[in-house]
């Protein structure tokens, strides 16, 4: 059985909810990623911040990214998957919620992220085609 831990990109990092968006952008650049899980004061997942969130939700709205925090941008219920989850559960979670990045949690700690690139590296062409149809084809 292929698990989330088998296909994830290990070493993902949190951004604390109190951290500003300019610092989040710097961290994204340093890590060469487009998204960061947001952690509350108890190091629990409270959202995911994307580079697009920073641009569209902050900069384009005329806000100062040095004054807006990652926590200010956290919306909705964050989605995640357990490290031991079967790849079918990973695909189901991403398809049902039309998400392209999924944090992987083990023993209540962030251990990795699954992105589209990770899926492409580890899944069959049929699995990828089905996932793309489900995530991108919905209106």
């Amino acid at each position: 059985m292929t698990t989330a831990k088998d296909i994830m990109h290990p070493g993902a990092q949190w951004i604390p909810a109190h951290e500003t968006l300019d610092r989040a952008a710097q961290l994204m650049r340093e890590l060469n990623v487009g998204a960061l899980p947001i952690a509350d004061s108890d190091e629990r997942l409270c959202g995911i911040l994307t580079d697009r969130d920073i641009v569209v939700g902050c900069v384009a709205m005329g806000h100062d990214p040095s004054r807006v925090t990652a926590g200010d941008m956290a919306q909705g219920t964050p989605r995640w998957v357990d490290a031991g989850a079967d790849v079918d559960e990973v695909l189901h979670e991403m398809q049902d919620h039309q998400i392209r990045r999924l944090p992987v949690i083990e023993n209540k700690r962030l251990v990795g992220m699954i992105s589209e690139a990770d899926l492409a590296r580890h899944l069959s062409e049929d699995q990828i085609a089905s996932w793309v149809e489900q995530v991108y084809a919905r209106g």
Side-chain angles (χ1 to χ4, degrees):
M1 170 177 88
T2 303
T3 66
K5 193 169 188 174
D6 295 330
I7 66 171
M8 73 179 191
H9 181 82
Q13 286 188 256
W14 299 105
I15 184 87
H18 63 80
E19 197 65 73
T20 59
L21 297 186
D22 61 340
R23 178 62 192 129
Q26 292 164 1
L27 187 56
M28 287 179 186
R29 182 189 64 222
E30 291 167 17
L31 298 172
N32 194 29
V33 297
L36 293 168
I38 304 169
D40 66 15
S41 59
D42 296 323
E43 289 194 353
R44 293 187 338 178
L45 182 66
C46 65
I48 294 182
L49 178 68
T50 67
D51 47 7
R52 187 176 194 282
D53 293 333
I54 295 170
V55 172
V56 175
C58 178
V59 176
M61 299 297 287
H63 301 297
D64 181 351
S66 68
R67 296 184 180 269
V68 178
T69 67
D72 293 337
M73 300 298 287
Q75 298 177 6
T77 303
R79 308 308 307 176
W80 58 274
V81 68
D82 185 79
D86 182 81
V87 71
D88 289 334
E89 186 178 335
V90 170
L91 293 172
H92 182 69
E93 185 71 17
M94 293 174 87
Q95 288 168 347
D96 280 359
H97 300 282
Q98 290 187 274
I99 54 178
R100 293 164 180 85
R101 299 170 181 100
L102 188 63
V104 180
I105 307 292
E106 185 174 55
N107 298 322
K108 299 183 181 181
R109 296 282 179 225
L110 178 70
V111 293
M113 289 280 282
I114 297 174
S115 69
E116 295 167 305
D118 298 312
L119 296 178
R121 278 192 294 275
H122 293 93
L123 302 180
S124 71
E125 287 185 22
D126 289 341
Q127 287 173 306
I128 293 294
S130 175
W131 182 82
V132 167
E133 182 178 333
Q134 292 297 313
V135 172
Y136 287 99
R138 291 185 184 171

